[in-house]
Amino acid sequence: MSKAKRIGVCTGGGDAPGLNAVIRAIVKYGRGQLGWEVFGVEECFHGLMYPDTKSVWPLDLPSCQGLLGRGGTILGTTNRGDPFGTAEDGRCYAEIIRENYDRYALDGLILIGGDGTQKIGHRLSTEYGIPIVGVPKTIDNDLEATDFTFGFWSAVDVATDALDRLHTTAESHDRVMILEVMGRTAGWIALYAGIAGGADCIAIPEVPYDPARFIEKIERRRKIGRHFTIVVVAEGARPMDSISLEGVSGRRGAGDTLTELLRAEFAQRDDATELRCTVLGHIQRGGSPTPFDRVLATQYGVKAVQLVESEGWGELVCLRGGEITSVPIADVASAPREVDPQETLLGVATSVGIELGGEIEPA
Ligand code: F6P
């Protein structure tokens, strides 16, 4: 058996359901089975960056009780603070991180976070000699390295439930209901939740939309006696460049914009159709992970410990073709994984009559 290790665990970026389940798996396997010492680092690197105000503390088995189904992260997380910025004493924060890392005599860090956090980890590893194993995280599921990130299916579950609820109220009032979901650059949540929740229209960032196509869909539905319509819009979705936004008052978000564009179009047609927009927001990130995300998070946690055990530093745990494996953190693409226009699911969506607002290339 390899020598017992002392490892730190950090969670960085926006929270996602399943973070605690990863932490729990690391502690249960690393501490419980291998006898290692596991330390939680508060708010990503802040526990090592700001030792006067933030903490690093040992994680034992009792501290992980009840964590599997608990949302958020017991370590806290942040997407603020620059580990390569300059501290008050003139040093680079990364030097302070290294100093405190040495003070705790750590053998390495397991870094649970999205591509931004992993890039920071990679720099800390190559420039400051801190060994890192990465675990990918984002509810957006837009990391190239892995088929699925934990948290994604939990977000889809919440959005699907919201769509089910909107269906009954939309149908009762003969309304057009628009649901804005997360996804600034990639429309995965909108696409999966839209299909799972029986949406009639889906707008994603990858397919700029023409509101007229949504109106036509609404009218086609009316002709078959369906007097309500459900639209899912990703927060990064936008109309085609040719669509004027002049006179559109609600420009705060994609849901408001689409609602206003449809409202204006209906007004021109003297059509009194009622529209309502719901912005789901951070509800998608809160609460308990789904069983899939709990299992995936547990697999990721165990794999991360196995990588540390075999000195597989610099690797990022991932799921590829149903197999838990790893890729070099250095290879983590900087561009997010967007919905490919040839994505099979887009074809599935249009095959069941979902209007995407623009042309897609057939797969
Ligand atoms: O990347 C995850 C995510 O939830 C995005 O879907 C969303 O656009 C963003 O984070 C929200 O960030 P914040 O919590 O900082 O408002």
Side-chain angles (χ1 to χ4, degrees), residues 213 215-226 353-355:
R213 291 180 68 133
I215 299 272
E216 282 158 25
K217 173 72 184 174
I218 294 165
E219 288 180 340
R220 283 200 302 277
R221 282 176 57 75
R222 281 195 189 130
K223 284 194 186 123
I224 56 162
R226 306 297 271 163
I354 297 174
E355 176 57 58

Side-chain angles (χ1 to χ4, degrees), residues 14 79 138-140 182-184 189 235 282 285:
N79 37 30
T138 165
I139 65 159
D140 298 338
M182 281 185 166
R184 271 177 305 203
I189 296 175
E235 63 179 326
H282 290 80
R285 290 223 312 245

Side-chain angles (χ1 to χ4, degrees), residues 25-38 59-61:
I26 292 168
V27 175
K28 274 190 165 271
Y29 186 33
R31 169 96 203 133
Q33 304 285 330
L34 303 176
W36 297 358
E37 288 183 81
V38 182
L59 293 172
D60 53 12
L61 292 172

